PDB file of all heavy atoms in Angstrom:
ATOM      1  N   GLY F   1       0.831  -1.203   0.000  1.00  0.00           N
ATOM      2  CA  GLY F   1       0.000   0.000   0.000  1.00  0.00           C
ATOM      3  C   GLY F   1       0.863   1.250   0.000  1.00  0.00           C
ATOM      4  O   GLY F   1       1.988   1.239   0.499  1.00  0.00           O
ATOM      5  N   PHE F   2       0.342   2.324  -0.580  1.00  0.00           N
ATOM      6  CA  PHE F   2       1.041   3.614  -0.554  1.00  0.00           C
ATOM      7  C   PHE F   2      -0.006   4.715  -0.683  1.00  0.00           C
ATOM      8  O   PHE F   2      -1.147   4.458  -1.076  1.00  0.00           O
ATOM      9  CB  PHE F   2       2.076   3.717  -1.683  1.00  0.00           C
ATOM     10  CG  PHE F   2       1.520   3.529  -3.074  1.00  0.00           C
ATOM     11  CD1 PHE F   2       0.877   4.565  -3.739  1.00  0.00           C
ATOM     12  CD2 PHE F   2       1.633   2.296  -3.722  1.00  0.00           C
ATOM     13  CE1 PHE F   2       0.357   4.386  -5.013  1.00  0.00           C
ATOM     14  CE2 PHE F   2       1.118   2.109  -5.002  1.00  0.00           C
ATOM     15  CZ  PHE F   2       0.479   3.162  -5.652  1.00  0.00           C
ATOM     16  N   CYS F   3       0.396   5.937  -0.322  1.00  0.00           N
ATOM     17  CA  CYS F   3      -0.520   7.081  -0.413  1.00  0.00           C
ATOM     18  C   CYS F   3       0.148   8.242  -1.135  1.00  0.00           C
ATOM     19  O   CYS F   3       1.360   8.436  -1.038  1.00  0.00           O
ATOM     20  CB  CYS F   3      -0.972   7.543   0.970  1.00  0.00           C
ATOM     21  SG  CYS F   3      -1.918   6.294   1.889  1.00  0.00           S
ATOM     22  N   ILE F   4      -0.682   8.995  -1.835  1.00  0.00           N
ATOM     23  CA  ILE F   4      -0.229  10.160  -2.602  1.00  0.00           C
ATOM     24  C   ILE F   4      -1.173  11.316  -2.300  1.00  0.00           C
ATOM     25  O   ILE F   4      -2.404  11.144  -2.311  1.00  0.00           O
ATOM     26  CB  ILE F   4      -0.251   9.844  -4.122  1.00  0.00           C
ATOM     27  CG1 ILE F   4       0.718   8.706  -4.452  1.00  0.00           C
ATOM     28  CG2 ILE F   4       0.068  11.081  -4.951  1.00  0.00           C
ATOM     29  CD1 ILE F   4       0.593   8.166  -5.879  1.00  0.00           C
ATOM     30  N   SER F   5      -0.596  12.499  -2.018  1.00  0.00           N
ATOM     31  CA  SER F   5      -1.419  13.670  -1.730  1.00  0.00           C
ATOM     32  C   SER F   5      -2.075  14.177  -3.009  1.00  0.00           C
ATOM     33  O   SER F   5      -1.557  13.957  -4.117  1.00  0.00           O
ATOM     34  CB  SER F   5      -0.553  14.783  -1.141  1.00  0.00           C
ATOM     35  OG  SER F   5       0.441  15.161  -2.096  1.00  0.00           O
ATOM     36  N   ARG F   6      -3.187  14.882  -2.853  1.00  0.00           N
ATOM     37  CA  ARG F   6      -3.879  15.430  -4.027  1.00  0.00           C
ATOM     38  C   ARG F   6      -2.964  16.403  -4.790  1.00  0.00           C
ATOM     39  O   ARG F   6      -2.927  16.398  -6.017  1.00  0.00           O
ATOM     40  CB  ARG F   6      -5.156  16.149  -3.606  1.00  0.00           C
ATOM     41  CG  ARG F   6      -5.940  16.671  -4.781  1.00  0.00           C
ATOM     42  CD  ARG F   6      -7.371  17.046  -4.449  1.00  0.00           C
ATOM     43  NE  ARG F   6      -8.122  17.068  -5.698  1.00  0.00           N
ATOM     44  CZ  ARG F   6      -8.700  16.024  -6.243  1.00  0.00           C
ATOM     45  NH1 ARG F   6      -8.634  14.845  -5.644  1.00  0.00           N
ATOM     46  NH2 ARG F   6      -9.340  16.129  -7.381  1.00  0.00           N
ATOM     47  N   GLY F   7      -2.209  17.211  -4.037  1.00  0.00           N
ATOM     48  CA  GLY F   7      -1.312  18.170  -4.683  1.00  0.00           C
ATOM     49  C   GLY F   7      -0.358  17.495  -5.645  1.00  0.00           C
ATOM     50  O   GLY F   7      -0.161  17.944  -6.779  1.00  0.00           O
ATOM     51  N   LEU F   8       0.219  16.372  -5.200  1.00  0.00           N
ATOM     52  CA  LEU F   8       1.162  15.629  -6.033  1.00  0.00           C
ATOM     53  C   LEU F   8       0.431  14.899  -7.166  1.00  0.00           C
ATOM     54  O   LEU F   8       0.901  14.854  -8.307  1.00  0.00           O
ATOM     55  CB  LEU F   8       1.955  14.638  -5.172  1.00  0.00           C
ATOM     56  CG  LEU F   8       2.992  13.774  -5.887  1.00  0.00           C
ATOM     57  CD1 LEU F   8       3.994  14.614  -6.669  1.00  0.00           C
ATOM     58  CD2 LEU F   8       3.720  12.876  -4.885  1.00  0.00           C
ATOM     59  N   ALA F   9      -0.725  14.321  -6.855  1.00  0.00           N
ATOM     60  CA  ALA F   9      -1.491  13.584  -7.873  1.00  0.00           C
ATOM     61  C   ALA F   9      -1.830  14.496  -9.056  1.00  0.00           C
ATOM     62  O   ALA F   9      -1.792  14.068 -10.216  1.00  0.00           O
ATOM     63  CB  ALA F   9      -2.768  13.010  -7.260  1.00  0.00           C
ATOM     64  N   LEU F  10      -2.139  15.751  -8.767  1.00  0.00           N
ATOM     65  CA  LEU F  10      -2.462  16.686  -9.846  1.00  0.00           C
ATOM     66  C   LEU F  10      -1.250  16.936 -10.741  1.00  0.00           C
ATOM     67  O   LEU F  10      -1.386  17.038 -11.964  1.00  0.00           O
ATOM     68  CB  LEU F  10      -2.981  18.013  -9.266  1.00  0.00           C
ATOM     69  CG  LEU F  10      -4.375  17.930  -8.625  1.00  0.00           C
ATOM     70  CD1 LEU F  10      -4.675  19.186  -7.821  1.00  0.00           C
ATOM     71  CD2 LEU F  10      -5.456  17.696  -9.683  1.00  0.00           C
ATOM     72  N   LYS F  11      -0.060  16.990 -10.137  1.00  0.00           N
ATOM     73  CA  LYS F  11       1.155  17.208 -10.932  1.00  0.00           C
ATOM     74  C   LYS F  11       1.480  15.997 -11.809  1.00  0.00           C
ATOM     75  O   LYS F  11       2.175  16.117 -12.815  1.00  0.00           O
ATOM     76  CB  LYS F  11       2.352  17.495 -10.009  1.00  0.00           C
ATOM     77  CG  LYS F  11       2.244  18.831  -9.296  1.00  0.00           C
ATOM     78  CD  LYS F  11       3.485  19.100  -8.479  1.00  0.00           C
ATOM     79  CE  LYS F  11       3.348  20.418  -7.737  1.00  0.00           C
ATOM     80  NZ  LYS F  11       4.485  20.647  -6.825  1.00  0.00           N
ATOM     81  N   MET F  12       0.993  14.818 -11.399  1.00  0.00           N
ATOM     82  CA  MET F  12       1.258  13.590 -12.167  1.00  0.00           C
ATOM     83  C   MET F  12       0.397  13.496 -13.427  1.00  0.00           C
ATOM     84  O   MET F  12       0.655  12.680 -14.312  1.00  0.00           O
ATOM     85  CB  MET F  12       0.939  12.359 -11.301  1.00  0.00           C
ATOM     86  CG  MET F  12       1.838  12.173 -10.107  1.00  0.00           C
ATOM     87  SD  MET F  12       1.133  10.924  -8.982  1.00  0.00           S
ATOM     88  CE  MET F  12       1.250   9.436 -10.008  1.00  0.00           C
ATOM     89  N   SER F  13      -0.632  14.313 -13.467  1.00  0.00           N
ATOM     90  CA  SER F  13      -1.658  14.213 -14.498  1.00  0.00           C
ATOM     91  C   SER F  13      -1.162  14.049 -15.939  1.00  0.00           C
ATOM     92  O   SER F  13      -1.661  13.182 -16.664  1.00  0.00           O
ATOM     93  CB  SER F  13      -2.595  15.419 -14.374  1.00  0.00           C
ATOM     94  OG  SER F  13      -3.539  15.390 -15.389  1.00  0.00           O
ATOM     95  N   PRO F  14      -0.150  14.813 -16.403  1.00  0.00           N
ATOM     96  CA  PRO F  14       0.278  14.636 -17.804  1.00  0.00           C
ATOM     97  C   PRO F  14       0.742  13.214 -18.133  1.00  0.00           C
ATOM     98  O   PRO F  14       0.642  12.782 -19.276  1.00  0.00           O
ATOM     99  CB  PRO F  14       1.451  15.622 -17.943  1.00  0.00           C
ATOM    100  CG  PRO F  14       1.293  16.596 -16.829  1.00  0.00           C
ATOM    101  CD  PRO F  14       0.583  15.886 -15.720  1.00  0.00           C
ATOM    102  N   TRP F  15       1.246  12.488 -17.130  1.00  0.00           N
ATOM    103  CA  TRP F  15       1.739  11.120 -17.370  1.00  0.00           C
ATOM    104  C   TRP F  15       0.793  10.053 -16.851  1.00  0.00           C
ATOM    105  O   TRP F  15       1.018   8.882 -17.069  1.00  0.00           O
ATOM    106  CB  TRP F  15       3.099  10.931 -16.688  1.00  0.00           C
ATOM    107  CG  TRP F  15       4.110  11.887 -17.197  1.00  0.00           C
ATOM    108  CD1 TRP F  15       4.833  11.793 -18.363  1.00  0.00           C
ATOM    109  CD2 TRP F  15       4.506  13.113 -16.580  1.00  0.00           C
ATOM    110  NE1 TRP F  15       5.646  12.889 -18.505  1.00  0.00           N
ATOM    111  CE2 TRP F  15       5.472  13.711 -17.429  1.00  0.00           C
ATOM    112  CE3 TRP F  15       4.135  13.770 -15.390  1.00  0.00           C
ATOM    113  CZ2 TRP F  15       6.066  14.937 -17.113  1.00  0.00           C
ATOM    114  CZ3 TRP F  15       4.738  14.991 -15.084  1.00  0.00           C
ATOM    115  CH2 TRP F  15       5.687  15.557 -15.938  1.00  0.00           C
ATOM    116  N   ALA F  16      -0.259  10.468 -16.105  1.00  0.00           N
ATOM    117  CA  ALA F  16      -1.075   9.470 -15.413  1.00  0.00           C
ATOM    118  C   ALA F  16      -2.558   9.500 -15.754  1.00  0.00           C
ATOM    119  O   ALA F  16      -3.231   8.490 -15.614  1.00  0.00           O
ATOM    120  CB  ALA F  16      -0.907   9.634 -13.897  1.00  0.00           C
ATOM    121  N   SER F  17      -3.087  10.641 -16.188  1.00  0.00           N
ATOM    122  CA  SER F  17      -4.542  10.687 -16.333  1.00  0.00           C
ATOM    123  C   SER F  17      -5.008  10.195 -17.698  1.00  0.00           C
ATOM    124  O   SER F  17      -4.256  10.231 -18.684  1.00  0.00           O
ATOM    125  CB  SER F  17      -5.055  12.098 -16.071  1.00  0.00           C
ATOM    126  OG  SER F  17      -4.577  12.965 -17.066  1.00  0.00           O
ATOM    127  N   LEU F  18      -6.246   9.742 -17.718  1.00  0.00           N
ATOM    128  CA  LEU F  18      -6.935   9.370 -18.950  1.00  0.00           C
ATOM    129  C   LEU F  18      -6.110   8.519 -19.906  1.00  0.00           C
ATOM    130  O   LEU F  18      -5.932   8.854 -21.078  1.00  0.00           O
ATOM    131  CB  LEU F  18      -7.407  10.641 -19.681  1.00  0.00           C
ATOM    132  CG  LEU F  18      -8.334  11.531 -18.830  1.00  0.00           C
ATOM    133  CD1 LEU F  18      -8.579  12.857 -19.508  1.00  0.00           C
ATOM    134  CD2 LEU F  18      -9.640  10.820 -18.522  1.00  0.00           C
ATOM    135  N   GLY F  19      -5.593   7.428 -19.393  1.00  0.00           N
ATOM    136  CA  GLY F  19      -4.886   6.490 -20.265  1.00  0.00           C
ATOM    137  C   GLY F  19      -3.417   6.813 -20.466  1.00  0.00           C
ATOM    138  O   GLY F  19      -2.662   5.991 -20.966  1.00  0.00           O
ATOM    139  N   ASN F  20      -2.990   8.025 -20.064  1.00  0.00           N
ATOM    140  CA  ASN F  20      -1.563   8.338 -20.197  1.00  0.00           C
ATOM    141  C   ASN F  20      -0.719   7.427 -19.319  1.00  0.00           C
ATOM    142  O   ASN F  20       0.439   7.163 -19.621  1.00  0.00           O
ATOM    143  CB  ASN F  20      -1.275   9.797 -19.806  1.00  0.00           C
ATOM    144  CG  ASN F  20      -1.849  10.762 -20.823  1.00  0.00           C
ATOM    145  OD1 ASN F  20      -1.873  10.472 -22.016  1.00  0.00           O
ATOM    146  ND2 ASN F  20      -2.335  11.890 -20.356  1.00  0.00           N
ATOM    147  N   PHE F  21      -1.314   6.960 -18.219  1.00  0.00           N
ATOM    148  CA  PHE F  21      -0.570   6.082 -17.318  1.00  0.00           C
ATOM    149  C   PHE F  21      -0.113   4.827 -18.054  1.00  0.00           C
ATOM    150  O   PHE F  21       1.013   4.370 -17.903  1.00  0.00           O
ATOM    151  CB  PHE F  21      -1.423   5.709 -16.099  1.00  0.00           C
ATOM    152  CG  PHE F  21      -0.663   4.955 -15.049  1.00  0.00           C
ATOM    153  CD1 PHE F  21       0.158   5.617 -14.152  1.00  0.00           C
ATOM    154  CD2 PHE F  21      -0.738   3.566 -14.967  1.00  0.00           C
ATOM    155  CE1 PHE F  21       0.891   4.929 -13.193  1.00  0.00           C
ATOM    156  CE2 PHE F  21      -0.006   2.865 -14.014  1.00  0.00           C
ATOM    157  CZ  PHE F  21       0.806   3.551 -13.126  1.00  0.00           C
ATOM    158  N   ILE F  22      -1.005   4.292 -18.873  1.00  0.00           N
ATOM    159  CA  ILE F  22      -0.697   3.060 -19.603  1.00  0.00           C
ATOM    160  C   ILE F  22       0.438   3.298 -20.596  1.00  0.00           C
ATOM    161  O   ILE F  22       1.368   2.495 -20.700  1.00  0.00           O
ATOM    162  CB  ILE F  22      -1.970   2.506 -20.288  1.00  0.00           C
ATOM    163  CG1 ILE F  22      -2.988   2.141 -19.194  1.00  0.00           C
ATOM    164  CG2 ILE F  22      -1.653   1.282 -21.145  1.00  0.00           C
ATOM    165  CD1 ILE F  22      -4.375   1.830 -19.676  1.00  0.00           C
ATOM    166  N   SER F  23       0.401   4.434 -21.290  1.00  0.00           N
ATOM    167  CA  SER F  23       1.494   4.693 -22.243  1.00  0.00           C
ATOM    168  C   SER F  23       2.808   4.996 -21.529  1.00  0.00           C
ATOM    169  O   SER F  23       3.876   4.614 -21.999  1.00  0.00           O
ATOM    170  CB  SER F  23       1.126   5.792 -23.243  1.00  0.00           C
ATOM    171  OG  SER F  23       0.351   6.785 -22.642  1.00  0.00           O
ATOM    172  N   THR F  24       2.729   5.648 -20.346  1.00  0.00           N
ATOM    173  CA  THR F  24       3.950   5.896 -19.565  1.00  0.00           C
ATOM    174  C   THR F  24       4.569   4.559 -19.140  1.00  0.00           C
ATOM    175  O   THR F  24       5.781   4.355 -19.260  1.00  0.00           O
ATOM    176  CB  THR F  24       3.646   6.741 -18.305  1.00  0.00           C
ATOM    177  OG1 THR F  24       3.010   7.952 -18.710  1.00  0.00           O
ATOM    178  CG2 THR F  24       4.918   7.071 -17.543  1.00  0.00           C
ATOM    179  N   ALA F  25       3.731   3.641 -18.654  1.00  0.00           N
ATOM    180  CA  ALA F  25       4.210   2.333 -18.202  1.00  0.00           C
ATOM    181  C   ALA F  25       4.838   1.551 -19.361  1.00  0.00           C
ATOM    182  O   ALA F  25       5.861   0.890 -19.200  1.00  0.00           O
ATOM    183  CB  ALA F  25       3.060   1.536 -17.595  1.00  0.00           C
ATOM    184  N   GLU F  26       4.241   1.651 -20.530  1.00  0.00           N
ATOM    185  CA  GLU F  26       4.766   0.955 -21.702  1.00  0.00           C
ATOM    186  C   GLU F  26       6.117   1.533 -22.109  1.00  0.00           C
ATOM    187  O   GLU F  26       7.026   0.819 -22.527  1.00  0.00           O
ATOM    188  CB  GLU F  26       3.787   1.057 -22.874  1.00  0.00           C
ATOM    189  CG  GLU F  26       2.646   0.062 -22.788  1.00  0.00           C
ATOM    190  CD  GLU F  26       3.128  -1.361 -22.525  1.00  0.00           C
ATOM    191  OE1 GLU F  26       3.902  -1.907 -23.349  1.00  0.00           O
ATOM    192  OE2 GLU F  26       2.758  -1.936 -21.486  1.00  0.00           O
ATOM    193  N   ARG F  27       6.229   2.847 -21.963  1.00  0.00           N
ATOM    194  CA  ARG F  27       7.454   3.524 -22.373  1.00  0.00           C
ATOM    195  C   ARG F  27       8.650   3.063 -21.540  1.00  0.00           C
ATOM    196  O   ARG F  27       9.745   2.915 -22.033  1.00  0.00           O
ATOM    197  CB  ARG F  27       7.246   5.030 -22.217  1.00  0.00           C
ATOM    198  CG  ARG F  27       8.174   5.856 -23.040  1.00  0.00           C
ATOM    199  CD  ARG F  27       7.772   7.305 -22.984  1.00  0.00           C
ATOM    200  NE  ARG F  27       8.335   7.966 -21.818  1.00  0.00           N
ATOM    201  CZ  ARG F  27       7.839   9.095 -21.312  1.00  0.00           C
ATOM    202  NH1 ARG F  27       6.760   9.632 -21.840  1.00  0.00           N
ATOM    203  NH2 ARG F  27       8.418   9.658 -20.286  1.00  0.00           N
ATOM    204  N   VAL F  28       8.412   2.844 -20.235  1.00  0.00           N
ATOM    205  CA  VAL F  28       9.529   2.409 -19.385  1.00  0.00           C
ATOM    206  C   VAL F  28       9.477   0.903 -19.120  1.00  0.00           C
ATOM    207  O   VAL F  28      10.332   0.351 -18.449  1.00  0.00           O
ATOM    208  CB  VAL F  28       9.579   3.194 -18.049  1.00  0.00           C
ATOM    209  CG1 VAL F  28      10.098   4.598 -18.278  1.00  0.00           C
ATOM    210  CG2 VAL F  28       8.234   3.231 -17.370  1.00  0.00           C
ATOM    211  N   ARG F  29       8.429   0.252 -19.656  1.00  0.00           N
ATOM    212  CA  ARG F  29       8.253  -1.210 -19.530  1.00  0.00           C
ATOM    213  C   ARG F  29       8.308  -1.687 -18.094  1.00  0.00           C
ATOM    214  O   ARG F  29       9.021  -2.632 -17.765  1.00  0.00           O
ATOM    215  CB  ARG F  29       9.300  -1.933 -20.401  1.00  0.00           C
ATOM    216  CG  ARG F  29       9.171  -1.456 -21.836  1.00  0.00           C
ATOM    217  CD  ARG F  29      10.055  -2.128 -22.815  1.00  0.00           C
ATOM    218  NE  ARG F  29       9.976  -1.375 -24.070  1.00  0.00           N
ATOM    219  CZ  ARG F  29      10.804  -1.532 -25.087  1.00  0.00           C
ATOM    220  NH1 ARG F  29      11.778  -2.402 -25.015  1.00  0.00           N
ATOM    221  NH2 ARG F  29      10.657  -0.813 -26.184  1.00  0.00           N
ATOM    222  N   LEU F  30       7.511  -1.019 -17.247  1.00  0.00           N
ATOM    223  CA  LEU F  30       7.501  -1.356 -15.822  1.00  0.00           C
ATOM    224  C   LEU F  30       6.093  -1.626 -15.334  1.00  0.00           C
ATOM    225  O   LEU F  30       5.126  -1.111 -15.898  1.00  0.00           O
ATOM    226  CB  LEU F  30       8.069  -0.180 -15.010  1.00  0.00           C
ATOM    227  CG  LEU F  30       9.562   0.098 -15.143  1.00  0.00           C
ATOM    228  CD1 LEU F  30       9.899   1.378 -14.417  1.00  0.00           C
ATOM    229  CD2 LEU F  30      10.372  -1.062 -14.584  1.00  0.00           C
ATOM    230  N   PRO F  31       5.962  -2.420 -14.247  1.00  0.00           N
ATOM    231  CA  PRO F  31       4.650  -2.655 -13.641  1.00  0.00           C
ATOM    232  C   PRO F  31       4.060  -1.379 -13.044  1.00  0.00           C
ATOM    233  O   PRO F  31       4.730  -0.341 -12.961  1.00  0.00           O
ATOM    234  CB  PRO F  31       4.926  -3.674 -12.539  1.00  0.00           C
ATOM    235  CG  PRO F  31       6.318  -4.127 -12.709  1.00  0.00           C
ATOM    236  CD  PRO F  31       7.027  -3.134 -13.553  1.00  0.00           C
ATOM    237  N   ASP F  32       2.815  -1.480 -12.588  1.00  0.00           N
ATOM    238  CA  ASP F  32       2.064  -0.316 -12.126  1.00  0.00           C
ATOM    239  C   ASP F  32       2.727   0.456 -10.979  1.00  0.00           C
ATOM    240  O   ASP F  32       2.875   1.674 -11.047  1.00  0.00           O
ATOM    241  CB  ASP F  32       0.633  -0.713 -11.746  1.00  0.00           C
ATOM    242  CG  ASP F  32       0.560  -1.879 -10.763  1.00  0.00           C
ATOM    243  OD1 ASP F  32       1.590  -2.543 -10.526  1.00  0.00           O
ATOM    244  OD2 ASP F  32      -0.529  -2.147 -10.233  1.00  0.00           O
ATOM    245  N   ASP F  33       3.151  -0.265  -9.912  1.00  0.00           N
ATOM    246  CA  ASP F  33       3.703   0.457  -8.760  1.00  0.00           C
ATOM    247  C   ASP F  33       5.055   1.098  -9.090  1.00  0.00           C
ATOM    248  O   ASP F  33       5.366   2.198  -8.613  1.00  0.00           O
ATOM    249  CB  ASP F  33       3.795  -0.441  -7.510  1.00  0.00           C
ATOM    250  CG  ASP F  33       4.478  -1.774  -7.755  1.00  0.00           C
ATOM    251  OD1 ASP F  33       4.911  -2.053  -8.901  1.00  0.00           O
ATOM    252  OD2 ASP F  33       4.584  -2.571  -6.795  1.00  0.00           O
ATOM    253  N   CYS F  34       5.843   0.436  -9.940  1.00  0.00           N
ATOM    254  CA  CYS F  34       7.126   1.020 -10.369  1.00  0.00           C
ATOM    255  C   CYS F  34       6.890   2.269 -11.207  1.00  0.00           C
ATOM    256  O   CYS F  34       7.634   3.255 -11.107  1.00  0.00           O
ATOM    257  CB  CYS F  34       7.929   0.041 -11.220  1.00  0.00           C
ATOM    258  SG  CYS F  34       8.290  -1.502 -10.405  1.00  0.00           S
ATOM    259  N   THR F  35       5.858   2.220 -12.035  1.00  0.00           N
ATOM    260  CA  THR F  35       5.563   3.367 -12.900  1.00  0.00           C
ATOM    261  C   THR F  35       5.165   4.591 -12.073  1.00  0.00           C
ATOM    262  O   THR F  35       5.544   5.720 -12.394  1.00  0.00           O
ATOM    263  CB  THR F  35       4.454   3.002 -13.916  1.00  0.00           C
ATOM    264  OG1 THR F  35       4.888   1.865 -14.678  1.00  0.00           O
ATOM    265  CG2 THR F  35       4.158   4.146 -14.860  1.00  0.00           C
ATOM    266  N   ILE F  36       4.426   4.354 -10.979  1.00  0.00           N
ATOM    267  CA  ILE F  36       4.076   5.458 -10.071  1.00  0.00           C
ATOM    268  C   ILE F  36       5.362   6.103  -9.544  1.00  0.00           C
ATOM    269  O   ILE F  36       5.516   7.321  -9.557  1.00  0.00           O
ATOM    270  CB  ILE F  36       3.212   4.942  -8.881  1.00  0.00           C
ATOM    271  CG1 ILE F  36       1.853   4.434  -9.378  1.00  0.00           C
ATOM    272  CG2 ILE F  36       3.080   5.999  -7.795  1.00  0.00           C
ATOM    273  CD1 ILE F  36       0.753   5.447  -9.504  1.00  0.00           C
ATOM    274  N   GLY F  37       6.306   5.265  -9.103  1.00  0.00           N
ATOM    275  CA  GLY F  37       7.583   5.772  -8.602  1.00  0.00           C
ATOM    276  C   GLY F  37       8.370   6.498  -9.676  1.00  0.00           C
ATOM    277  O   GLY F  37       9.010   7.522  -9.412  1.00  0.00           O
ATOM    278  N   TYR F  38       8.304   5.975 -10.897  1.00  0.00           N
ATOM    279  CA  TYR F  38       9.001   6.601 -12.024  1.00  0.00           C
ATOM    280  C   TYR F  38       8.460   8.014 -12.275  1.00  0.00           C
ATOM    281  O   TYR F  38       9.215   8.970 -12.432  1.00  0.00           O
ATOM    282  CB  TYR F  38       8.841   5.731 -13.278  1.00  0.00           C
ATOM    283  CG  TYR F  38       9.237   6.423 -14.558  1.00  0.00           C
ATOM    284  CD1 TYR F  38      10.574   6.717 -14.828  1.00  0.00           C
ATOM    285  CD2 TYR F  38       8.273   6.795 -15.496  1.00  0.00           C
ATOM    286  CE1 TYR F  38      10.947   7.357 -16.006  1.00  0.00           C
ATOM    287  CE2 TYR F  38       8.628   7.440 -16.674  1.00  0.00           C
ATOM    288  CZ  TYR F  38       9.961   7.722 -16.922  1.00  0.00           C
ATOM    289  OH  TYR F  38      10.321   8.370 -18.079  1.00  0.00           O
TER     290      TYR F  38
END
């Protein structure tokens, strides 16, 4: 388990929202939790 503040989650948006998360993960070829750290 891990937690992320709303302030930080909003900054992640370009790489994480609306399907961007999947393309970010593919780009670095990493699982979900690693991609969050990336």
